[in-house]
Amino acid sequence: LQLWMPHRVLFEETALEYPLARAIRERLRGQAEIGYIKSHNRISGLPGNTPRQKYAEAKRTLVVGLRRTLKFETSKPSADYAIPLLTGCPGHCEYCYLQTTLGPRPVVRVYVNLDDIFNQARAYMREKAPGFTTFEGACTSDPLAVEHITGVMREAVTFFGSEELGRFRFVSKYGYVESLLDAPHNGHTRIRFSINTDQVLKKWELGTHQLSARVRAAAQLAGAGYPVGFILGPIFLEGSWQEEYQQLLDQIHAELAAHGVDRGHDMTFELITHRFTPKAKALIEERFPETDLPMEPEDRRWKYGQFGYGKYIYPKDPMEEAEEFFREALAEHFPEAEVPYFV
Ligand code: SF4
């Protein structure tokens, strides 16, 4: 597995009071340029003039800071709350929804005041007790892309492992899970891998780990007793999509079997069709001028969101056809898996 290394790492000065920040500095000493900043929200002086260069340089930068806003966002449909441990990702997927949420300089940011964040999670759990509260750890990042440097997911898995009423989940396109295998997860964390067809991976996912590495990671985690899962997404309903997704499911099924994963293992499949906002389309076209991502508004249906903003999704008929196709194909290959949603 090729593991990401930042070109530079910037430490918020107060973050260095935390052992995790100092451990990250030790890990990166001699491997990346090290700098210090007053606030992780004010990063200046990164190289790059054009939007494309600025974006690329930010993706080579790791920022280590303190999380001060401790109000968690909601995270439907996958969980009750998004737990803010990291933001950003070194990958370069053209369709990535972080294109619009992280601004012109999407650095990779990790927060080291984990106890503050975990205490806040406990407060949310108390509000919902005696029911479970679920937390999503990958709403604004791909946490496994940097786990070899941060170790934050191991900390979070361990924390939730000892919380009766807390359930944790996160998703990744990276296959580095070695440090999680012996974590005391207690079955409270579900790790999912985002997967897609060969065609989608080759065209629009850059800088991520190969599909087989993600499937192997899922199998390793299943072997270590974790509930696991896959997110099929973004699902593109273009060309011969039925054939291509059928091939993908055949392949996942065969590889999991080859790795000895038990058919009845606790496994979920979340299904997310491709969608985009006008803002995302403009930004993607600026950063990837050659992109051939399907983003023609006339091929889509406009859907208003919760807060007045909207997005383009596939029209009703192809959506219904796709839902039926995926539910049937999954029922055939993975009859015991749960499909919590199709959107
Ligand atoms: Fe975005 Fe995920 Fe790709 Fe990272 S791996 S660039 S978070 S889609």
Side-chain angles (χ1 to χ4, degrees), residues 59 89 91-93 95-96 98 141-142 173-174 208:
K59 288 255 176 186
C89 165
H92 289 270
C93 304
Y95 56 71
C96 180
L98 300 181
S141 69
D142 189 312
K173 286 187 171 71
Y174 293 83
T208 54

Side-chain angles (χ1 to χ4, degrees), residues 195-210:
I195 55 172
N196 224 315
T197 64
D198 249 5
Q199 291 79 355
V200 171
L201 259 57
K202 281 197 191 109
K203 276 203 261 186
W204 303 311
E205 284 191 12
L206 306 166
T208 54
H209 284 163
Q210 303 232 326

Side-chain angles (χ1 to χ4, degrees), residues 226-297:
Y226 282 88
V228 295
F230 294 96
I231 295 191
L232 268 93
I235 297 172
F236 288 95
L237 306 177
E238 310 287 335
S240 42
W241 62 268
Q242 292 96 330
E243 246 167 70
E244 291 165 12
Y245 282 104
Q246 186 63 53
Q247 253 171 29
L248 170 68
L249 293 175
D250 293 345
Q251 184 185 343
I252 301 295
H253 183 254
E255 286 187 19
L256 287 174
H259 287 300
V261 177
D262 173 7
R263 267 173 67 119
H265 191 85
D266 184 350
M267 196 183 296
T268 54
F269 285 86
E270 293 152 82
L271 306 170
I272 306 178
T273 52
H274 180 242
R275 59 228 23 250
F276 61 92
T277 61
K279 188 176 165 200
K281 176 174 160 69
L283 271 174
I284 292 168
E285 287 169 350
E286 185 177 84
R287 289 171 180 171
F288 302 96
E290 317 286 318
T291 190
D292 58 353
L293 259 186
M295 291 189 293
E296 292 308 325

Side-chain angles (χ1 to χ4, degrees), residues 127-152:
E127 279 174 17
K128 242 188 119 185
F132 292 120
T133 310
T134 50
F135 297 88
E136 168 68 59
C139 278
T140 54
S141 69
D142 189 312
L144 287 189
V146 291
E147 179 65 9
H148 56 290
I149 298 170
T150 71
V152 160

Side-chain angles (χ1 to χ4, degrees), residues 64-86:
V64 179
L66 298 183
R67 178 76 185 185
R68 293 187 176 84
T69 315
L70 288 172
K71 186 178 177 300
F72 293 6
E73 301 288 331
T74 56
S75 174
K76 296 290 175 198
S78 98
D80 296 317
Y81 293 103
I83 183 167
L85 300 166
L86 304 113

